[in-house]
Amino acid sequence: MEDTLKLGGREFHSRFILGSGKYSLSLIEAAVQYAGAEIITLAVRRANTQEHENILDYIPKGVTLLPNTSGARNAQEAVRIARLARELGCGDFVKIEIMRDTKYLLPDNAETIKATEILAKEGFVVMPYMYPDLNAARDLVNAGAASVMPLAAPIGSNKGLATREFIQILIDEIDLPVIVDAGIGRPSQACEAMEMGAAAVMSNTALATAGDLPAMAEAFRKAVEAGRSAYLSGLGRVLERGGAPSDTLTGFLHD
Amino acid sequence: MVTVNGKPVEAAGMTAAALVEAQGYACAQVAVECNEEIIPKAELGSTVIRDGDVVEIVRFVGGG
C-alpha cells in the first residue's frame, strides 16, 4: 500500500511542509522543488502599495496552499484571518496560529480550540499550531481538526525537539496526523521527529537562515524521507545496559 | 472619510472595486473587508463604500 499523508480528503506523497517566510520570492520555486514539497504555508497581511509582486505567481502550480493566521491574538481574530484567506481564493486549508506572547511566540491552546471548532464547522481543513499538551490535542480532535501541529521549540529558534517527550505522547495517543511544526533547525531533528512517528514536519526558518536554501531544502527532504522509512521499518531495540555482539559467539580461535 | 488599511482616504461613494484599483491593487489578488465583513469578490463592483467605513485590503505574503 502506498504511504501517503491524508489531509482534508487529499493525499500527499511529501511529508515535508515548507514555509515561505523570510526569504526572497525568487527562491520559492527552487525551495519547493528541492524540498519536494506539496504544501506551502503563507501569511495574510494588509496589502502594501510598495510591494506589487504577488507571491502566488512564484509558487509552482499543484502545490497546496496552507495560509496561516499569524498575527491573531485570539480565536475571533484567527477566524477573521482564515475567512479572508479563503476569500483570497486558494482553497480551504488553514493553519491556525494564535499567540498572545510576543517574546516566545507560544500558541494559546484554549483560543486555538475555539477557533478550530468555528472554522471546522465552516468547512475549513483546520491544522492548528499548538503547544504539545495531550488534553488540548484531544479537544482539537473533538473540535474537528484535520491534524495537530505541536511545536518542537519556539518559532524561528532552530533549537530542535525541546518538547520531544510530549510530542511522542501526542503521536502515541492522537488519531490524527501529528505534524511537528516550529523550532526544527536541522535535518537530523526533522529525521528524528519522523522516526518518532510524526506524520510530517514543517520548517521555514531552518531553510530561510541556511547558507544555501535550495541545498538545505534537499537535505530536509532526504532527512524526512529517511526518518519516515526508519519509522515504517521499526527501529531496533535499545539495551538497558551492557552490549550484545553483532557476531556469533562460537568458533573463536581459542575455543 | 473612509479608513483603508488604517489610513484615512477620500473614498466615500466609490465602489469597493474602484477603491481597490485606486489604491493600486488588482481585485483578483486581494480580499476586501468592510467593517469586519468580507465583501465577496463578485460583489466588489456593486458594493458602495460609505463615509466612516473601515476597509481592510489584504493579500498573501510569505509566512511560516
Side-chain angles (χ1 to χ4, degrees), chain A:
Chain A
M1 202 175 79
E2 207 175 16
D3 176 44
T4 56
L5 170 64
K6 294 174 189 68
L7 289 167
R10 289 199 218 175
E11 290 192 43
F12 300 93
H13 294 89
S14 164
R15 291 176 179 272
F16 182 39
I17 299 177
L18 184 68
S20 64
K22 297 187 290 191
Y23 61 93
S24 157
L25 295 181
S26 61
L27 279 172
I28 289 179
E29 188 174 356
V32 168
Q33 189 193 332
Y34 282 81
E38 294 173 319
I39 302 176
I40 191 165
T41 60
L42 298 167
V44 176
R45 288 289 181 276
R46 277 177 170 168
N48 170 342
T49 42
Q50 264 69 61
E51 293 166 40
H52 286 282
E53 289 192 293
N54 182 4
I55 191 170
L56 299 181
D57 294 338
Y58 290 84
I59 298 175
K61 297 285 164 260
V63 174
T64 295
L65 302 177
L66 176 57
N68 68 34
T69 65
S70 67
R73 295 162 297 180
N74 54 47
Q76 192 189 351
E77 290 179 1
V79 167
R80 185 178 168 197
I81 294 168
R83 288 172 180 160
L84 282 166
R86 181 150 72 178
E87 184 59 25
L88 279 163
C90 298
D92 293 330
F93 280 62
V94 66
K95 172 182 155 184
I96 300 186
E97 209 177 300
I98 301 176
M99 290 167 234
R100 279 185 295 176
D101 161 66
T102 55
K103 183 173 181 186
Y104 300 101
L105 304 174
L106 294 174
D108 183 325
N109 279 354
E111 290 294 307
T112 301
I113 293 161
K114 283 188 219 164
T116 297
E117 189 162 12
I118 295 166
L119 292 170
K121 280 188 186 138
E122 293 182 15
F124 283 89
V125 178
V126 184
M127 300 172 62
Y129 168 62
M130 53 122 30
Y131 197 84
D133 173 86
L134 179 59
N135 297 311
R138 285 182 170 147
D139 289 345
L140 288 168
V141 173
N142 293 333
S147 70
V148 292
M149 301 183 81
L151 63 93
I155 291 178
S157 69
N158 283 352
K159 282 188 167 175
L161 285 163
T163 59
R164 187 185 195 290
E165 297 302 323
F166 302 96
I167 287 178
Q168 187 70 65
I169 292 172
L170 299 194
I171 290 169
D172 293 345
E173 301 300 328
I174 296 297
D175 205 17
L176 286 179
V178 175
I179 300 173
V180 178
D181 184 8
I184 294 290
R186 301 174 183 217
S188 57
Q189 296 156 355
C191 185
E192 185 179 358
M194 296 305 295
E195 285 172 355
M196 287 163 56
V201 166
M202 140 106 218
S203 186
N204 189 150
T205 302
L207 303 178
T209 60
D212 182 332
L213 194 155
M216 186 59 81
E218 182 173 33
F220 264 88
R221 175 178 63 74
K222 290 175 174 170
V224 167
E225 287 172 2
R228 180 66 183 173
S229 296
Y231 171 73
L232 293 175
S233 306
L235 293 171
R237 89 284 186 269
V238 178
L239 289 180
E240 195 72 25
R241 52 172 62 86
S246 310
D247 317 308
T248 174
L249 280 179
T250 56
F252 290 123
L253 296 185
H254 55 71
D255 279 346

Side-chain angles (χ1 to χ4, degrees), chain A residues 41 43 46-47 68 80 87, chain B residues 33 41 56-57 59 61 63-64:
Chain A
T41 60
R46 277 177 170 168
N68 68 34
R80 185 178 168 197
E87 184 59 25
Chain B
E33 206 185 47
K41 264 195 176 50
E56 294 287 344
I57 304 174
R59 59 172 191 146
V61 298

Side-chain angles (χ1 to χ4, degrees), chain B residues 32-57:
Chain B
V32 184
E33 206 185 47
C34 184
N35 303 327
E36 302 201 10
E37 291 285 328
I38 288 175
I39 306 175
K41 264 195 176 50
E43 294 170 24
L44 287 175
S46 57
T47 304
V48 177
I49 304 298
R50 285 183 279 199
D51 193 43
D53 281 351
V54 177
V55 177
E56 294 287 344
I57 304 174

